[in-house]
Amino acid sequence: ILDSTDSAKIIGELLGGTGKEAMFKAQHQISLWKNDLKTPEEAVQTASNAWEQQTARVYASYQETLQSYQAVDFDDLIRLPAVLLQQNSEVRNKWQRRLRYLLVDECQDTNTCQFTLMKLLTGAEGMFTAVGDDDQSIYAWRGANMENLRKMQEDYPQMKVIKLEQNYRSTARILKIANKVIENNPKLFTKKLWSQFGEGEIVKVVACQSEQHEADWVVSQIVKQKLVGGDKTQYADFAVLY
């Protein structure tokens, strides 16, 4: 199994040493094609410009190189089983019988390849539980497709949706602000977060000039509110989430 450094080195050699930026850009595009279950031939046919044409040809050579090494990259670890299950009914039936129940976490961040693998493993019965939140989809840049949540409802009309709207971490004020921020998102599932922890303190929104300024401001608030010293807490007792 080649890690990202190994695969980048191969792609760089196939590009003829055009620099790290070009190498990483091509590597990212090839990864997106794999996550979308596109073969090198399909990538060539659907290329929209000269750069994509060139990268698609590199993709083809890259796959040939992997095969000659009897190697796979990280994307292949999901892509190859998905293709195998698509093309081989005997293998597909075997694994559908063996894996009778699936739990899919962070379903909003699945890409086409992962979603296809899930469907091939669950089969027509669809004995699975998927946990996901369309307002927390943050991996589109690496191929995650939030449409998978919508497709799931279409592919499995018998699916039961259970909304988990109670928040066990935050107070009501924080959730009201969160609800306000995400209300403009395109919605697949409407939700209203709530908490049993009461209203809580007023939330401050502070604009900082830089990362350093942000760090300085946080520490200044700890000092200003005299939270450290005497028999109180020490600086080591604080954690900053960012």
Side-chain angles (χ1 to χ4, degrees):
I1 301 171
L2 302 185
D3 63 20
S4 56
T5 304
D6 294 326
S7 64
K9 187 177 179 181
I10 294 171
I11 291 170
E13 290 173 355
L14 293 171
L15 284 170
T18 53
K20 283 188 176 181
E21 187 176 342
M23 176 183 68
F24 289 133
K25 187 179 177 184
Q27 183 183 32
H28 180 64
Q29 181 59 60
I30 290 170
S31 178
L32 290 178
W33 279 328
K34 288 192 175 190
N35 288 335
D36 206 28
L37 278 180
K38 279 189 176 179
T39 64
E41 294 74 25
E42 289 170 334
V44 170
Q45 291 170 4
T46 58
S48 58
N49 54 52
W51 178 80
E52 286 191 3
Q53 284 275 357
Q54 180 198 16
T55 307
R57 289 192 291 270
V58 170
Y59 177 18
S61 301
Y62 172 65
Q63 284 305 104
E64 290 172 3
T65 304
L66 289 184
Q67 287 179 1
S68 67
Y69 287 164
Q70 295 188 357
V72 293
D73 60 19
F74 289 148
D75 295 318
D76 285 335
L77 293 177
I78 298 174
R79 185 185 67 86
L80 290 176
V83 171
L84 175 64
L85 292 173
Q86 274 182 330
Q87 297 176 352
N88 191 315
S89 58
E90 184 181 343
V91 174
R92 182 170 64 249
N93 293 333
K94 172 190 172 183
W95 284 98
Q96 284 180 358
R97 287 193 301 269
R98 182 168 176 181
L99 302 175
R100 295 192 57 208
Y101 306 102
L102 289 182
L103 170 62
V104 185
D105 198 13
E106 303 290 3
C107 198
Q108 76 278 357
D109 290 326
T110 55
N111 56 44
T112 300
C113 187
Q114 292 166 330
F115 188 64
T116 300
L117 181 62
M118 185 209 82
K119 286 170 60 179
L120 289 165
L121 288 173
T122 56
E125 290 186 15
M127 302 295 282
F128 67 88
T129 299
V131 184
D133 183 356
D134 50 332
D135 286 314
Q136 293 191 50
S137 182
I138 59 173
Y139 287 111
W141 58 274
R142 70 176 191 195
N145 186 3
M146 198 174 68
E147 280 290 290
N148 290 340
L149 287 178
R150 184 184 60 78
K151 289 178 185 174
M152 194 177 288
Q153 287 183 295
E154 295 176 357
D155 295 341
Y156 303 97
Q158 76 276 26
M159 186 175 73
K160 182 179 180 181
V161 177
I162 302 170
K163 294 185 180 181
L164 306 176
E165 296 176 301
Q166 182 176 0
N167 185 290
Y168 297 90
R169 181 184 295 165
S170 305
T171 57
R173 289 185 196 270
I174 292 173
L175 297 180
K176 284 177 184 176
I177 291 174
N179 283 327
K180 199 68 182 172
V181 170
I182 65 178
E183 71 179 13
N184 296 309
N185 290 353
K187 293 291 180 188
L188 291 175
F189 303 95
T190 56
K191 66 183 80 72
K192 206 70 178 176
L193 305 177
W194 63 277
S195 169
Q196 61 183 10
F197 295 139
E199 280 294 295
E201 295 182 27
I202 293 175
V203 176
K204 288 183 180 180
V205 179
V206 181
C208 295
Q209 298 167 358
S210 64
E211 292 177 352
Q212 183 63 46
H213 182 215
E214 186 177 27
D216 291 342
W217 184 86
V218 171
V219 176
S220 73
Q221 293 306 298
I222 296 172
V223 174
K224 186 178 179 181
Q225 296 178 40
K226 299 180 179 178
L227 300 176
V228 174
D231 295 329
K232 295 182 181 179
T233 51
Q234 304 301 310
Y235 283 112
D237 297 315
F238 288 85
V240 181
L241 306 182
Y242 66 97

